[in-house]
Amino acid sequence: MASLGGGVGTGLILILAANLSLKAFEKRKNSYFALVLETVIAAVLTWVMGQRYYQTSKIMPAGIVAGISFLMTGFYLYKLATGGNHIPAKAE
């Protein structure tokens, strides 16, 4: 039950962050709050699932989720370091 609750909770937070990011993108702006939220969730998933993988040595699901979360954390940190999404000017 704890794993299910954690999965649903992080999933809902990521859906919220994606929605905030989409609304900002439609206004041709960046949502740094959503980007930070996504970064924190990915880092927490990396830590938690990495510990679970270290304890069990099972690649599925802990190792896979830890690896993907690690890559996403790196991507989000890159986006934060470079100033978010670079939205091109509207061509008319």
Side-chain angles (χ1 to χ4, degrees), residues 3 16 28-29 36 38 40 43 45 48 54 65-66 69 72 74 76 80 83-84 89:
S3 182
L16 170 70
R28 309 191 65 70
K29 297 185 183 219
V36 168
E38 292 161 344
V40 168
L45 276 174
V48 170
Y54 182 72
V65 173
S69 297
M72 290 308 298
Y76 292 138
L80 284 170

Side-chain angles (χ1 to χ4, degrees), residues 26-41:
E26 287 171 349
K27 295 177 184 173
R28 309 191 65 70
K29 297 185 183 219
N30 281 311
S31 175
Y32 290 105
F33 176 73
L35 194 52
V36 168
L37 193 59
E38 292 161 344
T39 306
V40 168
I41 292 295

Side-chain angles (χ1 to χ4, degrees), residues 35 39 71-84 86:
L35 194 52
T39 306
L71 293 173
M72 290 308 298
T73 301
F75 172 73
Y76 292 138
L77 289 173
Y78 168 77
K79 294 307 276 181
L80 284 170
T82 59
H86 300 288

Side-chain angles (χ1 to χ4, degrees), residues 28 88-92:
R28 309 191 65 70
K90 208 173 200 179
E92 291 187 49

